[in-house]
Amino acid sequence: MSHFVDYCNEIESARKNGFGRVVLPAEISLPDICGKIEYPDLSGNKNVGERYKKWVQTFLKGVCPIESTLECLECQRNNTSEKFSCGDSCQKQDETYDRGIAQLAIRLYQLRNNVTHEGNLQGDHYLFDLAYSDAEFPIQMQSFTDGKWSYGKAVVNLGVLINALCLNAIRYYENADAEKKAKLDDFDKEIFHSDNFSEAFQRMEHLYD
């Protein structure tokens, strides 16, 4: 049993039951938990942001940052030649993705700070959509009117964001070595079930450490 994986699954379960807003603070802190383990040299309050963004850029997979999509759309608009083809063979895609994920890391960290320190569930660059955010496999969609954002900003489906961070945090745990796994599972070591004999006994043992 893994305390950390159970925690991620609890977040996902709450999302699927329609509690996306409730679990946002827990979900947005997953890069904090993982980043502290992955980058022990970046300790101290001054390095919190750096390790958070570094973990997102390195380990958040399976997402297409809105910033990357916009850059590709702009490229398509500027290349109307019949000889131009856009596809997986585009040499610019990797660079575009890297720039997009770097921007996403910055904006997720801004959201994390807004939630944690300012007490508001808002991003500086995104709106968050709850529609179908409780779906088993949430999908990201955008709405445009006359080539502009329909709602004034880019829209991120809250379910997509929560699902992506949870799945990648679990994948990070699964690929970690035994020492990192132990540290990840220790993140909630002060929380236990008093009606669970095994856990209660372990907590009582600490009295004699």
Side-chain angles (χ1 to χ4, degrees):
M1 183 188 75
S2 164
H3 280 222
F4 181 72
V5 172
D6 286 348
Y7 179 68
C8 294
N9 287 332
E10 285 176 14
I11 295 174
E12 263 290 89
S13 178
R15 175 190 70 79
K16 292 176 184 177
N17 281 283
F19 299 105
R21 284 178 297 184
V22 176
V23 299
L24 178 60
E27 161 267 324
I28 205 69
S29 70
L30 290 175
D32 278 313
I33 299 170
C34 297
K36 185 177 181 180
I37 304 302
E38 181 64 21
Y39 309 111
D41 293 339
L42 296 176
S43 59
N45 292 335
K46 292 183 178 180
N47 294 314
V48 170
E50 183 180 351
R51 71 188 184 210
Y52 185 102
K53 289 177 281 189
K54 190 173 182 179
W55 188 89
V56 169
Q57 288 181 250
T58 305
F59 294 100
L60 186 59
K61 306 296 183 182
V63 297
C64 181
I66 291 170
E67 292 78 9
S68 299
T69 302
L70 292 177
E71 193 168 333
C72 285
L73 289 173
E74 183 65 24
C75 180
Q76 286 181 324
R77 281 195 293 267
N78 294 333
N79 292 275
T80 57
S81 169
E82 293 182 358
K83 295 181 179 180
F84 176 78
S85 63
C86 179
D88 294 335
S89 60
C90 177
Q91 295 179 355
K92 296 181 179 179
Q93 279 193 345
D94 289 341
E95 295 176 7
T96 301
Y97 177 81
D98 289 342
R99 286 192 293 270
I101 202 72
Q103 285 296 312
L104 178 61
I106 292 171
R107 291 172 181 179
L108 285 182
Y109 185 64
Q110 290 171 339
L111 172 62
R112 173 258 196 204
N113 288 340
N114 286 344
V115 172
T116 305
H117 301 300
E118 301 298 329
N120 59 64
L121 304 180
Q122 66 181 44
D124 295 339
H125 297 84
Y126 305 136
L127 295 175
F128 296 96
D129 188 5
L130 284 170
Y132 310 111
S133 61
D134 57 351
E136 180 74 20
F137 303 106
I139 299 174
Q140 177 65 54
M141 299 180 68
Q142 293 294 337
S143 296
F144 297 91
T145 303
D146 296 328
K148 299 179 181 179
W149 301 118
S150 297
Y151 303 102
K153 289 182 179 180
V155 175
V156 173
N157 186 281
L158 200 58
V160 171
L161 178 61
I162 294 170
N163 179 257
L165 282 169
C166 285
L167 291 183
N168 281 284
I170 291 173
R171 186 177 293 115
Y172 172 73
Y173 178 91
E174 290 173 343
N175 292 326
D177 60 31
E179 182 180 0
K180 289 180 179 177
K181 285 180 178 177
K183 290 180 178 178
L184 285 167
D185 285 329
D186 260 359
F187 89 103
D188 67 342
K189 62 183 178 182
E190 299 301 326
I191 300 175
F192 75 105
H193 295 282
S194 61
D195 59 349
N196 182 311
F197 177 78
S198 177
E199 285 196 356
F201 183 72
Q202 289 178 11
R203 295 308 306 163
M204 291 175 67
E205 284 185 322
H206 285 284
L207 294 174
Y208 307 101
D209 287 348

